[in-house]
Amino acid sequence: GISHPADPNFPLSNEGGRVTICSMLYLSAQNLSKTFGDKTILDGACLEIRADDRLALVGPNGAGKTTLFQIIS
């Protein structure tokens, strides 16, 4: 098999004779749902964060930023 010199579990891909380093998956959340009473806020949302991703969660007060963090924590 293919291995990384520093970490034998480092994700690599060997497609078409080329070896590529795949970024490690830090967080994967699937089929997220959230309701408040009869109001659906999220329905089937998915999220993936990889090692080389840069992201920001921005929005006005009450948009659901804290709620999203509570769901995935």
Side-chain angles (χ1 to χ4, degrees):
I2 301 167
S3 64
H4 186 274
D7 180 359
N9 297 316
F10 197 83
L12 297 173
S13 173
N14 183 8
E15 294 183 24
R18 295 184 347 213
V19 176
T20 57
I21 298 174
C22 304
S23 65
M24 295 179 69
L25 183 62
Y26 279 174
L27 174 76
S28 177
Q30 308 205 359
N31 201 25
L32 296 174
S33 298
K34 178 66 179 173
T35 59
F36 289 105
D38 62 351
K39 185 173 183 179
T40 300
I41 306 302
L42 290 173
D43 184 19
C46 298
L47 171 70
E48 282 191 354
I49 300 174
R50 297 191 173 273
D52 55 353
D53 286 347
R54 301 292 178 256
L55 61 105
L57 185 60
V58 296
N61 291 345
K65 300 177 298 287
T66 301
T67 300
L68 178 60
F69 279 119
Q70 290 172 342
I71 291 170
I72 62 175
S73 64

